[in-house]
Amino acid sequence: MLLKCIRAENLKLRHSCIWAACVLIPLIPAVMGTFNYRSNLGLLTSEWYSLWTQITLFYSSLFYAPLIGLYCSYLWRLEHLNNNWNVLMTNPVPVRNVFLAKLAVVFRVTLLTQLWIGVMYFLCGKLCGLPGMIPGRILVWLLRGTLAAGAVGTLQLLLSMVIRSFAVPIAMSMAGSILGFIISNKGYSMYWPYSVMLLGMNANKSEDSLRQGLLPFLVSLCVFFLLFAGISIWYLKKNDVRA
């Protein structure tokens, strides 16, 4: 049943603007970060790691979470139009499968976004004349940032489900991301999902922020995921049909 729900959600993405956003929007932080790196070569001397700090300064802090918010808002947009919510709720499908199917699709698109920003990072590095290949540690940071998107994506799906506006949840993801940057700088990254995502991406840092261990990071992700998923499924069960 869950796989059928996932296939149904995938149909909504065919010929949608989501794919253009997935490809075009990451170009902006890649270009901005590369320009910043090239302008400060005297200070940024760690080559691949320095380029990473500049690209993630823009991508992770300003673009990553809003992209996830965009994906989530798009998947709930059709349900909020006309009487589609009632059609969805009267289908013989457990509401948990409805939510988890949307989450699976959001995670898939986010994974593709992360792969694309990784490709852009590599190409920008080569355009800057950096030697060799991407350090393996960077690939680990990309993977961690993708896992952290599960917590942010769960929260954004909840917001997009409750708030019928398409744009408001995206704006909230931007605000959450900026606040996450501030909280991260204060040393409280584990207590805010957007900060956890920055931590996973090792945004704007050349040394690994999690060199002392992954366990607190993974525990924080699991707590946020279970919390927001639980609230979302409870909400769907309590708000069956809309008049």
Side-chain angles (χ1 to χ4, degrees):
M1 186 71 74
L2 178 59
L3 291 178
K4 290 182 179 179
C5 291
I6 292 174
R7 284 196 289 268
E9 294 297 329
N10 280 328
L11 290 175
K12 297 177 183 178
L13 298 183
R14 289 187 178 181
H15 311 296
S16 73
C17 62
I18 289 299
W19 300 114
C22 179
V23 172
L24 296 178
I25 292 180
L27 294 176
I28 302 173
V31 171
M32 293 171 66
T34 302
F35 178 80
N36 220 32
Y37 171 74
R38 293 285 298 173
S39 300
N40 295 277
L41 288 176
L43 299 173
L44 303 172
T45 58
S46 298
E47 298 184 334
W48 285 106
Y49 291 105
S50 292
L51 179 61
W52 177 259
T53 64
Q54 299 310 296
I55 290 180
T56 56
L57 172 64
F58 298 104
Y59 173 69
S60 300
S61 303
L62 299 175
F63 291 90
Y64 191 16
L67 271 172
I68 297 173
L70 172 63
Y71 304 153
C72 294
S73 284
Y74 186 85
L75 285 179
W76 275 112
R77 178 174 176 269
L78 291 178
E79 323 303 355
H80 290 314
L81 295 176
N82 302 320
N83 292 315
N84 290 338
W85 179 278
N86 293 345
V87 173
L88 177 69
M89 291 295 101
T90 54
N91 283 332
V93 177
V95 291
R96 67 177 180 276
N97 287 351
V98 172
F99 181 81
L100 292 177
K102 291 182 184 295
L103 181 60
V105 172
V106 167
F107 189 80
R108 179 174 72 93
V109 181
T110 301
L111 175 60
L112 294 175
T113 304
Q114 287 288 87
L115 290 172
W116 176 235
I117 197 67
V119 170
M120 291 302 303
Y121 167 68
F122 173 73
L123 294 176
C124 290
K126 287 303 176 183
L127 288 173
C128 291
L130 297 182
M133 298 295 291
I134 297 174
R137 191 180 298 178
I138 299 291
L139 300 179
V140 173
W141 297 345
L142 279 168
L143 176 61
R144 287 190 334 212
T146 306
L147 292 177
V152 173
T154 309
L155 173 56
Q156 286 298 141
L157 277 175
L158 171 60
L159 294 174
S160 296
M161 176 177 62
V162 174
I163 302 170
R164 303 187 71 173
S165 168
F166 178 81
V168 170
I170 301 174
M172 292 175 71
S173 69
M174 172 67 80
S177 188
I178 294 172
L179 181 58
F181 182 78
I182 298 172
I183 292 174
S184 181
N185 288 335
K186 297 290 185 180
Y188 300 106
S189 297
M190 297 299 180
Y191 305 106
W192 183 244
Y194 301 93
S195 298
V196 174
M197 188 174 68
L198 292 173
L199 191 64
M201 287 290 288
N202 212 62
N204 196 30
K205 292 181 175 63
S206 56
E207 294 294 329
D208 193 350
S209 301
L210 297 177
R211 57 185 177 276
Q212 295 181 347
L214 275 173
L215 185 59
F217 170 76
L218 295 175
V219 169
S220 182
L221 286 186
C222 289
V223 169
F224 284 129
F225 174 83
L226 293 174
L227 174 64
F228 299 135
I231 293 173
S232 300
I233 294 170
W234 173 84
Y235 180 86
L236 281 171
K237 288 180 178 179
K238 294 296 182 180
N239 292 268
D240 190 2
V241 175
R242 291 172 176 167

